Amino acid sequence: MGSFDVERIRADFPILALKIGGKPLAYLDNAASSQMPQAVIERLVRYQTTQHANINRGVHYLSETATFEYDEARRKLQRFINVREDREVIFTSGTTEAINLVMHGYGRKFIGAGDEIILTTLEHHSNIVPWQMLAEEKGAKIRVVPINDAGELLIGEYEKLFNERTKFVGVTHVSNALGTINPVKQMIAFAHAHGVPVLVDGAQAAPHMKVDVADLDCDFYAFSGHKLCGPTGIGILYGKAALLERMQPFKGGGDMILSVTFEKTTYNTIPHKFEAGTPPIAAAIGLGAAVDYLSAIGMEAIAAHELDLLNYATAEVNRVPGVRILGTAGKKAAVLSFTVDGVHPHDVGTLLNQEGVAVRTGHHCAQPVMQRFRVPATSRASFAFYNTLAEVDALVAGIRTVQKVFA
Ligand SMILES: Cc1ncc(COP(=O)(O)O)c(C=O)c1O
């Protein structure tokens, strides 16, 4: 695996040394949440032990320090995905809240009766349900881009969905259920040619590849900290300043205002207009440390190592008779969804757990994908840069054990 020193990297993650029922943990549930390196844990401890106070309005040392570190974290996120101005990065509680912010802030203001919103079959529920709520409220319509048997979007069909009523596109950069990497740059260019803004759900992309929002030219980009070696309860929404400025606030409260009287409230400038109340200060600073950590390894090196893992895992799982891989797109991130003939995915997950192998089983909050493949659920192994070929071997051995138990 080239010069990528996975053992040195693993030493940064205390949790990876755990044994589960006496077996070494093979943590292959990274698409749900990834683990935290010591550097991020220590950054949280340093913040709590030497820097914590509420931000923005304080004149004392700790408040000024916490405010500086929080703003600095925003600038780290700005550089991480190549955002032009730091005010275009809004801290949210995660991807789900970021998408809901766009639905309320943009959708409720600019999408009306008879308008159309384009989504894809590959969306996570968090990029479906908010838009359905909006469609129901406004009398708008959802149009859905279909996929082929490999789990790839049918781009010709996407382009055919556009008409004069199309007002918005929401698309996931990487499918959490299948791993498909979507051609979002091409899709954004097509939407823009029709004057339509695009939100990209980057929850499964930002942790695994170099994301450049300036190059993509997306209007909104969302991801979660906890899938990116950071804390839970934090994520970001990138939005183009010109759009954010025209949007209405999502939540009302402290910090998002310039002045309040009972007659009239004026809203603060971006990003503060969208950060009502005390934000998760520690989590934001922790996320800043997480992107520092990932950037030091290099997102290209991370993507290359994960592709090695995916290719090896795909080849090994394909050698096991009676196992079907769902999602065979030409371009994939390190997600391996599979079913084992005659065994319910829940049983697969339970037995793999007895071997120390952590995978996720279920519909992965992507029921339309399950419906497309006519399965109720799959088992999903999802890799991170700290996983090893030996852990893939443990997965494959575990699948063979499952088959023996159910033979
Ligand atoms: C593609 C995708 N979008 C959105 C989400 C929701 O992320 P969160 O629960 O962190 O808000 C997930 C989480 O699994 C995801 O995989």
Side-chain angles (χ1 to χ4, degrees):
M1 285 208 178
S3 60
F4 195 85
D5 190 348
V6 70
E7 290 307 328
R8 193 189 57 70
I9 286 169
R10 288 177 71 78
D12 293 338
F13 291 81
I15 207 168
L16 296 181
L18 279 185
K19 293 219 168 12
I20 306 294
K23 306 259 172 69
L25 166 68
Y27 186 76
L28 305 180
D29 193 20
N30 295 286
S33 203
S34 59
Q35 299 298 348
M36 191 181 276
Q38 190 65 31
V40 177
I41 297 168
E42 281 170 9
R43 185 66 189 91
L44 293 171
V45 171
R46 184 157 71 88
Y47 171 74
Q48 294 297 164
T49 50
T50 67
Q51 298 181 320
H52 173 68
N54 209 334
I55 57 169
N56 290 337
R57 290 166 310 278
V59 291
H60 60 80
Y61 169 80
L62 282 179
S63 180
E64 284 181 350
T65 305
T67 304
F68 175 81
E69 296 297 339
Y70 181 75
D71 291 342
E72 188 62 16
R74 194 191 307 279
R75 288 188 284 274
K76 288 178 184 195
L77 272 297
Q78 176 196 356
R79 288 192 291 276
F80 185 61
I81 57 167
N82 195 25
V83 173
R84 284 187 193 89
E85 301 177 57
D86 59 356
R87 65 192 181 121
E88 295 176 306
V89 174
I90 297 160
F91 281 118
T92 66
S93 68
T95 309
T96 302
E97 192 185 60
I99 295 170
N100 277 274
L101 190 163
V102 177
M103 184 281 263
H104 283 271
Y106 184 90
R108 294 180 86 196
K109 187 163 178 190
F110 296 112
I111 297 173
D115 288 343
E116 296 185 0
I117 299 160
I118 297 178
L119 303 175
T120 86
T121 307
L122 294 176
E123 299 316 304
H124 186 278
H125 295 166
S126 64
N127 202 23
I128 299 175
V129 183
W131 302 111
Q132 281 176 327
M133 292 161 79
L134 179 73
E136 198 177 338
E137 176 186 322
K138 298 284 184 176
K141 197 169 165 191
I142 309 272
R143 311 289 304 272
V144 184
V145 186
I147 55 173
N148 63 20
D149 291 339
E152 296 164 317
L153 293 178
L154 297 176
I155 296 302
E157 297 301 313
Y158 165 70
E159 296 183 353
K160 278 193 226 151
L161 290 177
F162 280 81
N163 61 51
E164 65 287 350
R165 292 182 302 278
T166 309
K167 287 287 152 56
F168 198 81
V169 173
V171 57
T172 190
H173 199 164
V174 170
S175 156
N176 71 311
L178 303 178
T180 313
I181 302 175
N182 291 322
V184 288
K185 187 173 175 181
Q186 178 191 343
M187 294 171 77
I188 292 162
F190 191 85
H192 286 176
H194 291 76
V196 176
V198 181
L199 175 146
V200 179
D201 172 352
Q204 298 295 343
H208 304 289
M209 60 180 70
K210 180 83 197 116
V211 171
D212 182 335
V213 294
D215 178 57
L216 290 177
D217 197 27
C218 53
D219 301 279
F220 301 102
Y221 198 95
F223 60 86
S224 301
H226 68 95
K227 296 182 196 288
L228 199 115
C229 300
T232 52
I234 190 77
I236 70 150
L237 173 69
Y238 155 74
K240 285 183 179 166
L243 287 172
L244 293 174
E245 276 169 347
R246 288 166 59 217
M247 284 159 59
Q248 61 193 21
F250 172 34
K251 294 175 178 172
D255 274 346
M256 53 75 73
I257 51 86
L258 286 176
S259 71
V260 177
T261 66
F262 278 106
E263 287 67 44
K264 184 169 171 56
T265 289
T266 46
Y267 299 131
N268 206 339
T269 50
I270 60 168
H272 312 291
K273 182 169 90 172
F274 296 106
E275 293 183 2
T278 302
I281 308 165
I285 291 169
L287 180 55
V291 302
D292 277 350
Y293 178 84
L294 293 174
S295 301
I297 297 172
M299 293 312 295
E300 285 85 1
I302 284 173
H305 176 73
E306 291 181 3
L307 188 61
D308 285 346
L309 290 169
L310 177 71
N311 288 339
Y312 180 66
T314 305
E316 290 300 300
V317 169
N318 271 332
R319 279 152 45 120
V320 184
V323 180
R324 174 184 171 213
I325 294 176
L326 284 85
T328 50
K331 285 184 123 186
K332 271 187 71 172
V335 170
L336 200 76
S337 241
F338 60 93
T339 55
V340 180
D341 287 355
V343 191
H344 192 277
H346 190 74
D347 294 327
V348 175
T350 305
L351 288 173
L352 285 177
N353 179 54
Q354 289 175 13
E355 304 299 317
V357 179
V359 299
R360 185 139 301 238
T361 63
H363 54 58
H364 315 297
C365 296
Q367 286 186 350
V369 175
M370 301 296 117
Q371 288 148 12
R372 171 62 175 75
F373 284 95
R374 296 179 197 286
V375 293
T378 71
S379 303
R380 180 188 70 184
S382 54
F383 303 98
F385 56 95
Y386 44 65
N387 288 127
T388 64
L389 297 179
E391 290 177 314
V392 174
D393 290 339
L395 168 71
V396 176
I399 294 172
R400 290 187 191 276
T401 304
V402 171
Q403 289 179 315
K404 275 190 211 119
V405 171
F406 279 84

